[in-house]
Amino acid sequence: MDKIIIHGGRRLEGEVRISGSKNAALPILMSSLLTEGVNTYANVPDLRDIDSTLLLLAKLGVRVDAGAGTVRIDAGGLNSHEAPYDLVRKMRASVLVLGPLVARLGRARVSLPGGCAIGARPINLHLRALAALGADITLDHGYVTASASRLKGAEIYFDLVTVTGTENIMMAAVLADGTTVLRNAACEPEVVALADVLNRMGAEISGAGTPDITIRGVSGLHAVAADIIPDRIETGTFMTAAALTGGLVTIRNCEPNHVGATIDKLRQAGAEIRVEGRTITVRGGDKILSVDIKTQPYPGFPTDMQAQFMVLMSVAEGVSVISETIFENRFIHVSELRRLGADIRVSGNTATVRGVARLSGAPVMATDLRASACLVLAGLVAENTTEVQRVYHLDRGYEALERKFAGLGAAIRRVR
Ligand code: EPU
């Protein structure tokens, strides 16, 4: 299995280009199921989760053609309504076929995703919303089956803000009979990106990006050509790495409006940040100051940046309190950071991080994508050598992470 080896202590300097967003690309690729004709998507990142998505679409009978950041999808041959356990197990976001398949074929059978390293992550809200649209839902042998000859528009109130739940139901409702209103919908940029693509396909969605989304059902959608938006979590990860190493990094091809909370926290931590168009320049301060963070749905501080920010706080001056409010078990990186010398105490959903003068390299591993990214960041500042194992987690969601860091002057390499 691959591992990443880092000799810490180098200041990052130079330019890095941000890839397309994983979490925007996944639902947009799935939305092709709603159309006839050939959809063309550009700026699609080269990631394992994208490969899993394309494999799933191919299993459903869809024609997929991918290369050099462009993916063409023709769902004309769609002939299956089942997402099997083997694929859903590898990628929870496979549940995003549920909404489009019921809308297009009147039926979907999808393996229930189990819990994962960061929490139980049920899909009860997706199912309750589909039932509100008139789908008949049954659970058997680890699969959920949803069926409806045609979904009917309804007013749906989400108990919790759910990103893929909002996306799934938006895709279900676009072909429903009548109008659907989603209340307490997720406001994440990935939801807006999906709504934009659906609208270009002929859907009638308004309010995406606010907690109230209105979807007027239409009778059919057509294929489109669309670009995937830049990845805001990759952007935040590079910004944090620049601040962490006292570096000077210019981040190109990003969307600064999507990373407001991270920019704000990094400035409070002492970094100097300049924004010009689609470019962000981060200059690390002389010292790193402690700041508190609390993860929240967008536009709050993203849970997907919590682990990376914790590394920064591990070497800050003072004490930082980090509260994780989205997932119940998203501190799996803490014990690994402690092995590198970090002083972190966890009580419930709060981590108290006392900055230390230095981290020292060691072999580490994590069981989740962002936790793995946090360990790479830790390796960039730790003394001597850090070996990050289970790299396949990183490959799920960061395109060429080690090559991008190497391009900024880090001593980092992958060994097979
Ligand atoms: N939840 C429920 N019931 C549901 C749905 C969600 O209880 O039916 C709970 C979850 O267990 C969690 C909270 O609601 O405690 C929020 O979960 P959400 O549904 O918003 O998460 P998600 O849609 O499964 C997406 C991203 C995650 C990101 C979260 C939060 C994708 C494919 N995944 O997951 O990304 O952390 O939103 O922003 O968009 C990552 O990229 O590393 C990643 C985990």
PDB file of all heavy atoms in Angstrom, residues 22-23 26 93 118 121-126 160-164 303-304 326-327 330 369-370, ligand 1:
ATOM      1  N   LYS A  22     -14.572  17.989  -5.382  1.00  0.00           N
ATOM      2  CA  LYS A  22     -15.100  16.618  -5.275  1.00  0.00           C
ATOM      3  C   LYS A  22     -16.583  16.649  -4.939  1.00  0.00           C
ATOM      4  O   LYS A  22     -17.395  16.004  -5.604  1.00  0.00           O
ATOM      5  CB  LYS A  22     -14.350  15.863  -4.165  1.00  0.00           C
ATOM      6  CG  LYS A  22     -15.050  14.580  -3.721  1.00  0.00           C
ATOM      7  CD  LYS A  22     -14.258  13.823  -2.665  1.00  0.00           C
ATOM      8  CE  LYS A  22     -14.467  14.269  -1.243  1.00  0.00           C
ATOM      9  NZ  LYS A  22     -15.698  13.753  -0.581  1.00  0.00           N
ATOM     10  N   ASN A  23     -16.939  17.402  -3.900  1.00  0.00           N
ATOM     11  CA  ASN A  23     -18.320  17.320  -3.406  1.00  0.00           C
ATOM     12  C   ASN A  23     -19.326  18.051  -4.291  1.00  0.00           C
ATOM     13  O   ASN A  23     -20.536  17.869  -4.145  1.00  0.00           O
ATOM     14  CB  ASN A  23     -18.395  17.808  -1.954  1.00  0.00           C
ATOM     15  CG  ASN A  23     -17.733  16.809  -1.010  1.00  0.00           C
ATOM     16  OD1 ASN A  23     -17.458  15.671  -1.397  1.00  0.00           O
ATOM     17  ND2 ASN A  23     -17.481  17.231   0.218  1.00  0.00           N
ATOM     18  N   LEU A  26     -19.564  15.165  -7.487  1.00  0.00           N
ATOM     19  CA  LEU A  26     -20.312  13.913  -7.263  1.00  0.00           C
ATOM     20  C   LEU A  26     -21.802  14.063  -7.590  1.00  0.00           C
ATOM     21  O   LEU A  26     -22.322  13.318  -8.429  1.00  0.00           O
ATOM     22  CB  LEU A  26     -20.101  13.396  -5.833  1.00  0.00           C
ATOM     23  CG  LEU A  26     -18.649  13.051  -5.447  1.00  0.00           C
ATOM     24  CD1 LEU A  26     -18.567  12.565  -3.991  1.00  0.00           C
ATOM     25  CD2 LEU A  26     -18.075  12.007  -6.371  1.00  0.00           C
ATOM     26  N   ALA A  93     -21.445   8.590  -0.835  1.00  0.00           N
ATOM     27  CA  ALA A  93     -22.165   9.519  -1.714  1.00  0.00           C
ATOM     28  C   ALA A  93     -22.911   8.788  -2.826  1.00  0.00           C
ATOM     29  O   ALA A  93     -23.702   9.400  -3.552  1.00  0.00           O
ATOM     30  CB  ALA A  93     -21.208  10.557  -2.289  1.00  0.00           C
ATOM     31  N   ILE A 118     -16.250   8.810  10.772  1.00  0.00           N
ATOM     32  CA  ILE A 118     -16.507  10.093  11.426  1.00  0.00           C
ATOM     33  C   ILE A 118     -17.870  10.168  12.114  1.00  0.00           C
ATOM     34  O   ILE A 118     -18.162  11.133  12.807  1.00  0.00           O
ATOM     35  CB  ILE A 118     -16.340  11.279  10.437  1.00  0.00           C
ATOM     36  CG1 ILE A 118     -17.317  11.179   9.265  1.00  0.00           C
ATOM     37  CG2 ILE A 118     -14.917  11.351   9.940  1.00  0.00           C
ATOM     38  CD1 ILE A 118     -17.219  12.361   8.298  1.00  0.00           C
ATOM     39  N   ARG A 121     -23.888   8.703  10.508  1.00  0.00           N
ATOM     40  CA  ARG A 121     -24.303   9.193   9.193  1.00  0.00           C
ATOM     41  C   ARG A 121     -25.491   8.445   8.585  1.00  0.00           C
ATOM     42  O   ARG A 121     -25.381   7.857   7.505  1.00  0.00           O
ATOM     43  CB  ARG A 121     -23.106   9.195   8.229  1.00  0.00           C
ATOM     44  CG  ARG A 121     -21.944   9.982   8.770  1.00  0.00           C
ATOM     45  CD  ARG A 121     -20.818  10.093   7.804  1.00  0.00           C
ATOM     46  NE  ARG A 121     -21.099  10.993   6.690  1.00  0.00           N
ATOM     47  CZ  ARG A 121     -20.246  11.209   5.709  1.00  0.00           C
ATOM     48  NH1 ARG A 121     -19.102  10.595   5.660  1.00  0.00           N
ATOM     49  NH2 ARG A 121     -20.545  12.066   4.745  1.00  0.00           N
ATOM     50  N   PRO A 122     -26.639   8.483   9.262  1.00  0.00           N
ATOM     51  CA  PRO A 122     -27.826   7.841   8.697  1.00  0.00           C
ATOM     52  C   PRO A 122     -28.348   8.631   7.487  1.00  0.00           C
ATOM     53  O   PRO A 122     -27.908   9.760   7.242  1.00  0.00           O
ATOM     54  CB  PRO A 122     -28.836   7.908   9.844  1.00  0.00           C
ATOM     55  CG  PRO A 122     -28.426   9.094  10.648  1.00  0.00           C
ATOM     56  CD  PRO A 122     -26.916   9.196  10.515  1.00  0.00           C
ATOM     57  N   ILE A 123     -29.281   8.037   6.733  1.00  0.00           N
ATOM     58  CA  ILE A 123     -29.898   8.776   5.611  1.00  0.00           C
ATOM     59  C   ILE A 123     -31.406   8.918   5.843  1.00  0.00           C
ATOM     60  O   ILE A 123     -32.185   9.057   4.898  1.00  0.00           O
ATOM     61  CB  ILE A 123     -29.604   8.121   4.240  1.00  0.00           C
ATOM     62  CG1 ILE A 123     -30.079   6.663   4.196  1.00  0.00           C
ATOM     63  CG2 ILE A 123     -28.136   8.206   3.889  1.00  0.00           C
ATOM     64  CD1 ILE A 123     -30.222   6.132   2.769  1.00  0.00           C
ATOM     65  N   ASN A 124     -31.794   8.888   7.127  1.00  0.00           N
ATOM     66  CA  ASN A 124     -33.221   8.957   7.461  1.00  0.00           C
ATOM     67  C   ASN A 124     -33.898  10.208   6.877  1.00  0.00           C
ATOM     68  O   ASN A 124     -35.052  10.152   6.458  1.00  0.00           O
ATOM     69  CB  ASN A 124     -33.419   8.890   8.984  1.00  0.00           C
ATOM     70  CG  ASN A 124     -32.678   9.984   9.721  1.00  0.00           C
ATOM     71  OD1 ASN A 124     -31.518  10.262   9.421  1.00  0.00           O
ATOM     72  ND2 ASN A 124     -33.328  10.620  10.675  1.00  0.00           N
ATOM     73  N   LEU A 125     -33.159  11.332   6.824  1.00  0.00           N
ATOM     74  CA  LEU A 125     -33.792  12.566   6.335  1.00  0.00           C
ATOM     75  C   LEU A 125     -34.018  12.515   4.824  1.00  0.00           C
ATOM     76  O   LEU A 125     -35.009  13.051   4.314  1.00  0.00           O
ATOM     77  CB  LEU A 125     -32.955  13.791   6.718  1.00  0.00           C
ATOM     78  CG  LEU A 125     -32.710  13.958   8.229  1.00  0.00           C
ATOM     79  CD1 LEU A 125     -31.803  15.143   8.510  1.00  0.00           C
ATOM     80  CD2 LEU A 125     -34.035  14.113   8.974  1.00  0.00           C
ATOM     81  N   HIS A 126     -33.089  11.835   4.107  1.00  0.00           N
ATOM     82  CA  HIS A 126     -33.294  11.649   2.658  1.00  0.00           C
ATOM     83  C   HIS A 126     -34.594  10.838   2.463  1.00  0.00           C
ATOM     84  O   HIS A 126     -35.417  11.161   1.611  1.00  0.00           O
ATOM     85  CB  HIS A 126     -32.169  10.828   2.014  1.00  0.00           C
ATOM     86  CG  HIS A 126     -30.782  11.360   2.190  1.00  0.00           C
ATOM     87  ND1 HIS A 126     -29.883  11.429   1.154  1.00  0.00           N
ATOM     88  CD2 HIS A 126     -30.098  11.823   3.262  1.00  0.00           C
ATOM     89  CE1 HIS A 126     -28.722  11.892   1.583  1.00  0.00           C
ATOM     90  NE2 HIS A 126     -28.834  12.139   2.868  1.00  0.00           N
ATOM     91  N   LEU A 160     -32.412  18.593  10.269  1.00  0.00           N
ATOM     92  CA  LEU A 160     -30.998  18.977  10.365  1.00  0.00           C
ATOM     93  C   LEU A 160     -30.582  19.457   8.989  1.00  0.00           C
ATOM     94  O   LEU A 160     -31.159  19.025   7.996  1.00  0.00           O
ATOM     95  CB  LEU A 160     -30.142  17.747  10.629  1.00  0.00           C
ATOM     96  CG  LEU A 160     -30.061  17.132  12.001  1.00  0.00           C
ATOM     97  CD1 LEU A 160     -29.269  15.832  11.913  1.00  0.00           C
ATOM     98  CD2 LEU A 160     -29.345  18.112  12.911  1.00  0.00           C
ATOM     99  N   VAL A 161     -29.555  20.299   8.956  1.00  0.00           N
ATOM    100  CA  VAL A 161     -29.045  20.699   7.647  1.00  0.00           C
ATOM    101  C   VAL A 161     -28.251  19.530   7.080  1.00  0.00           C
ATOM    102  O   VAL A 161     -27.275  19.084   7.674  1.00  0.00           O
ATOM    103  CB  VAL A 161     -28.136  21.941   7.777  1.00  0.00           C
ATOM    104  CG1 VAL A 161     -27.473  22.243   6.435  1.00  0.00           C
ATOM    105  CG2 VAL A 161     -28.939  23.121   8.261  1.00  0.00           C
ATOM    106  N   THR A 162     -28.692  18.999   5.959  1.00  0.00           N
ATOM    107  CA  THR A 162     -27.978  17.888   5.322  1.00  0.00           C
ATOM    108  C   THR A 162     -27.645  18.242   3.879  1.00  0.00           C
ATOM    109  O   THR A 162     -28.538  18.605   3.095  1.00  0.00           O
ATOM    110  CB  THR A 162     -28.773  16.558   5.414  1.00  0.00           C
ATOM    111  OG1 THR A 162     -28.229  15.627   4.461  1.00  0.00           O
ATOM    112  CG2 THR A 162     -30.260  16.701   5.156  1.00  0.00           C
ATOM    113  N   VAL A 163     -26.365  18.140   3.560  1.00  0.00           N
ATOM    114  CA  VAL A 163     -25.894  18.571   2.243  1.00  0.00           C
ATOM    115  C   VAL A 163     -26.358  17.583   1.174  1.00  0.00           C
ATOM    116  O   VAL A 163     -27.106  17.946   0.252  1.00  0.00           O
ATOM    117  CB  VAL A 163     -24.349  18.698   2.230  1.00  0.00           C
ATOM    118  CG1 VAL A 163     -23.853  19.086   0.836  1.00  0.00           C
ATOM    119  CG2 VAL A 163     -23.893  19.718   3.266  1.00  0.00           C
ATOM    120  N   THR A 164     -25.973  16.304   1.301  1.00  0.00           N
ATOM    121  CA  THR A 164     -26.390  15.353   0.263  1.00  0.00           C
ATOM    122  C   THR A 164     -27.893  15.098   0.335  1.00  0.00           C
ATOM    123  O   THR A 164     -28.507  14.782  -0.682  1.00  0.00           O
ATOM    124  CB  THR A 164     -25.605  14.018   0.336  1.00  0.00           C
ATOM    125  OG1 THR A 164     -25.659  13.543   1.670  1.00  0.00           O
ATOM    126  CG2 THR A 164     -24.163  14.188  -0.098  1.00  0.00           C
ATOM    127  N   THR A 303     -16.746  21.675   8.709  1.00  0.00           N
ATOM    128  CA  THR A 303     -16.234  20.482   9.399  1.00  0.00           C
ATOM    129  C   THR A 303     -15.108  19.845   8.601  1.00  0.00           C
ATOM    130  O   THR A 303     -14.178  19.270   9.188  1.00  0.00           O
ATOM    131  CB  THR A 303     -17.366  19.456   9.650  1.00  0.00           C
ATOM    132  OG1 THR A 303     -16.796  18.261  10.189  1.00  0.00           O
ATOM    133  CG2 THR A 303     -18.131  19.105   8.390  1.00  0.00           C
ATOM    134  N   ASP A 304     -15.150  19.978   7.273  1.00  0.00           N
ATOM    135  CA  ASP A 304     -14.106  19.370   6.445  1.00  0.00           C
ATOM    136  C   ASP A 304     -12.759  20.090   6.565  1.00  0.00           C
ATOM    137  O   ASP A 304     -11.768  19.645   5.982  1.00  0.00           O
ATOM    138  CB  ASP A 304     -14.549  19.345   4.967  1.00  0.00           C
ATOM    139  CG  ASP A 304     -15.662  18.339   4.723  1.00  0.00           C
ATOM    140  OD1 ASP A 304     -15.895  17.476   5.592  1.00  0.00           O
ATOM    141  OD2 ASP A 304     -16.310  18.421   3.662  1.00  0.00           O
ATOM    142  N   ILE A 326     -20.944  19.002  13.697  1.00  0.00           N
ATOM    143  CA  ILE A 326     -21.620  18.323  12.574  1.00  0.00           C
ATOM    144  C   ILE A 326     -21.566  16.799  12.717  1.00  0.00           C
ATOM    145  O   ILE A 326     -22.579  16.122  12.561  1.00  0.00           O
ATOM    146  CB  ILE A 326     -20.997  18.738  11.213  1.00  0.00           C
ATOM    147  CG1 ILE A 326     -20.932  20.255  11.090  1.00  0.00           C
ATOM    148  CG2 ILE A 326     -21.767  18.102  10.052  1.00  0.00           C
ATOM    149  CD1 ILE A 326     -22.247  20.969  10.983  1.00  0.00           C
ATOM    150  N   PHE A 327     -20.386  16.264  12.986  1.00  0.00           N
ATOM    151  CA  PHE A 327     -20.242  14.804  13.113  1.00  0.00           C
ATOM    152  C   PHE A 327     -19.818  14.445  14.526  1.00  0.00           C
ATOM    153  O   PHE A 327     -19.005  15.147  15.130  1.00  0.00           O
ATOM    154  CB  PHE A 327     -19.228  14.272  12.088  1.00  0.00           C
ATOM    155  CG  PHE A 327     -19.708  14.383  10.675  1.00  0.00           C
ATOM    156  CD1 PHE A 327     -19.138  15.298   9.799  1.00  0.00           C
ATOM    157  CD2 PHE A 327     -20.752  13.599  10.216  1.00  0.00           C
ATOM    158  CE1 PHE A 327     -19.588  15.419   8.494  1.00  0.00           C
ATOM    159  CE2 PHE A 327     -21.223  13.708   8.913  1.00  0.00           C
ATOM    160  CZ  PHE A 327     -20.641  14.622   8.049  1.00  0.00           C
ATOM    161  N   ARG A 330     -15.641  13.110  14.905  1.00  0.00           N
ATOM    162  CA  ARG A 330     -14.664  13.583  13.937  1.00  0.00           C
ATOM    163  C   ARG A 330     -13.388  14.098  14.603  1.00  0.00           C
ATOM    164  O   ARG A 330     -12.798  15.089  14.171  1.00  0.00           O
ATOM    165  CB  ARG A 330     -15.268  14.640  13.020  1.00  0.00           C
ATOM    166  CG  ARG A 330     -14.597  14.565  11.654  1.00  0.00           C
ATOM    167  CD  ARG A 330     -15.215  15.413  10.602  1.00  0.00           C
ATOM    168  NE  ARG A 330     -14.766  14.951   9.283  1.00  0.00           N
ATOM    169  CZ  ARG A 330     -15.104  15.504   8.159  1.00  0.00           C
ATOM    170  NH1 ARG A 330     -15.908  16.534   8.147  1.00  0.00           N
ATOM    171  NH2 ARG A 330     -14.654  15.032   7.015  1.00  0.00           N
ATOM    172  N   LEU A 369     -10.628  10.859   5.117  1.00  0.00           N
ATOM    173  CA  LEU A 369      -9.965  11.746   4.167  1.00  0.00           C
ATOM    174  C   LEU A 369      -9.347  12.991   4.808  1.00  0.00           C
ATOM    175  O   LEU A 369      -8.163  13.283   4.647  1.00  0.00           O
ATOM    176  CB  LEU A 369     -11.021  12.135   3.116  1.00  0.00           C
ATOM    177  CG  LEU A 369     -10.754  13.279   2.185  1.00  0.00           C
ATOM    178  CD1 LEU A 369      -9.523  13.023   1.352  1.00  0.00           C
ATOM    179  CD2 LEU A 369     -11.972  13.462   1.270  1.00  0.00           C
ATOM    180  N   ARG A 370     -10.163  13.774   5.512  1.00  0.00           N
ATOM    181  CA  ARG A 370      -9.637  15.057   6.023  1.00  0.00           C
ATOM    182  C   ARG A 370      -8.643  14.845   7.156  1.00  0.00           C
ATOM    183  O   ARG A 370      -7.721  15.638   7.355  1.00  0.00           O
ATOM    184  CB  ARG A 370     -10.783  15.967   6.463  1.00  0.00           C
ATOM    185  CG  ARG A 370     -11.886  16.146   5.422  1.00  0.00           C
ATOM    186  CD  ARG A 370     -11.387  16.706   4.111  1.00  0.00           C
ATOM    187  NE  ARG A 370     -12.430  16.664   3.067  1.00  0.00           N
ATOM    188  CZ  ARG A 370     -12.226  16.984   1.793  1.00  0.00           C
ATOM    189  NH1 ARG A 370     -11.037  17.358   1.372  1.00  0.00           N
ATOM    190  NH2 ARG A 370     -13.211  16.917   0.929  1.00  0.00           N
TER     191      ARG A 370
HETATM  192  N1  EPU B   1     -27.702  13.386   9.088  1.00  0.00           N
HETATM  193  C1  EPU B   1     -28.727  12.650   9.646  1.00  0.00           C
HETATM  194  N2  EPU B   1     -29.660  12.093   8.804  1.00  0.00           N
HETATM  195  C2  EPU B   1     -29.604  12.241   7.456  1.00  0.00           C
HETATM  196  C3  EPU B   1     -28.569  13.009   6.898  1.00  0.00           C
HETATM  197  C4  EPU B   1     -27.634  13.580   7.741  1.00  0.00           C
HETATM  198  O1  EPU B   1     -28.796  12.476  10.857  1.00  0.00           O
HETATM  199  O2  EPU B   1     -30.484  11.706   6.776  1.00  0.00           O
HETATM  200  C5  EPU B   1     -26.702  13.993   9.965  1.00  0.00           C
HETATM  201  C6  EPU B   1     -25.306  13.417   9.710  1.00  0.00           C
HETATM  202  O3  EPU B   1     -25.101  12.201  10.411  1.00  0.00           O
HETATM  203  C7  EPU B   1     -24.415  14.536  10.200  1.00  0.00           C
HETATM  204  C8  EPU B   1     -25.207  15.796   9.798  1.00  0.00           C
HETATM  205  O4  EPU B   1     -26.557  15.366   9.621  1.00  0.00           O
HETATM  206  O5  EPU B   1     -24.275  14.483  11.581  1.00  0.00           O
HETATM  207  C9  EPU B   1     -24.762  16.478   8.525  1.00  0.00           C
HETATM  208  O6  EPU B   1     -24.561  15.514   7.522  1.00  0.00           O
HETATM  209  P1  EPU B   1     -24.727  15.819   5.967  1.00  0.00           P
HETATM  210  O7  EPU B   1     -25.865  15.004   5.467  1.00  0.00           O
HETATM  211  O8  EPU B   1     -24.753  17.274   5.710  1.00  0.00           O
HETATM  212  O9  EPU B   1     -23.382  15.202   5.399  1.00  0.00           O
HETATM  213  P2  EPU B   1     -23.238  14.519   3.996  1.00  0.00           P
HETATM  214  O10 EPU B   1     -24.141  15.146   3.034  1.00  0.00           O
HETATM  215  O11 EPU B   1     -23.255  13.038   4.156  1.00  0.00           O
HETATM  216  C10 EPU B   1     -21.464  16.145   2.985  1.00  0.00           C
HETATM  217  C11 EPU B   1     -20.075  16.019   2.440  1.00  0.00           C
HETATM  218  C12 EPU B   1     -19.112  15.758   3.589  1.00  0.00           C
HETATM  219  C13 EPU B   1     -19.216  16.922   4.572  1.00  0.00           C
HETATM  220  C14 EPU B   1     -20.661  17.080   5.049  1.00  0.00           C
HETATM  221  C15 EPU B   1     -20.868  18.284   5.948  1.00  0.00           C
HETATM  222  C16 EPU B   1     -20.438  15.157   0.222  1.00  0.00           C
HETATM  223  C17 EPU B   1     -20.342  14.019  -0.733  1.00  0.00           C
HETATM  224  N3  EPU B   1     -20.036  14.939   1.475  1.00  0.00           N
HETATM  225  O12 EPU B   1     -21.741  14.899   3.604  1.00  0.00           O
HETATM  226  O13 EPU B   1     -17.814  15.725   3.036  1.00  0.00           O
HETATM  227  O14 EPU B   1     -18.386  16.693   5.681  1.00  0.00           O
HETATM  228  O15 EPU B   1     -21.522  17.218   3.914  1.00  0.00           O
HETATM  229  O16 EPU B   1     -20.474  19.445   5.318  1.00  0.00           O
HETATM  230  O17 EPU B   1     -20.853  16.238  -0.153  1.00  0.00           O
HETATM  231  C18 EPU B   1     -15.541  15.057   2.891  1.00  0.00           C
HETATM  232  O18 EPU B   1     -15.507  15.572   1.766  1.00  0.00           O
HETATM  233  O19 EPU B   1     -14.505  14.653   3.482  1.00  0.00           O
HETATM  234  C19 EPU B   1     -16.832  14.886   3.549  1.00  0.00           C
HETATM  235  C20 EPU B   1     -17.021  14.033   4.561  1.00  0.00           C
END
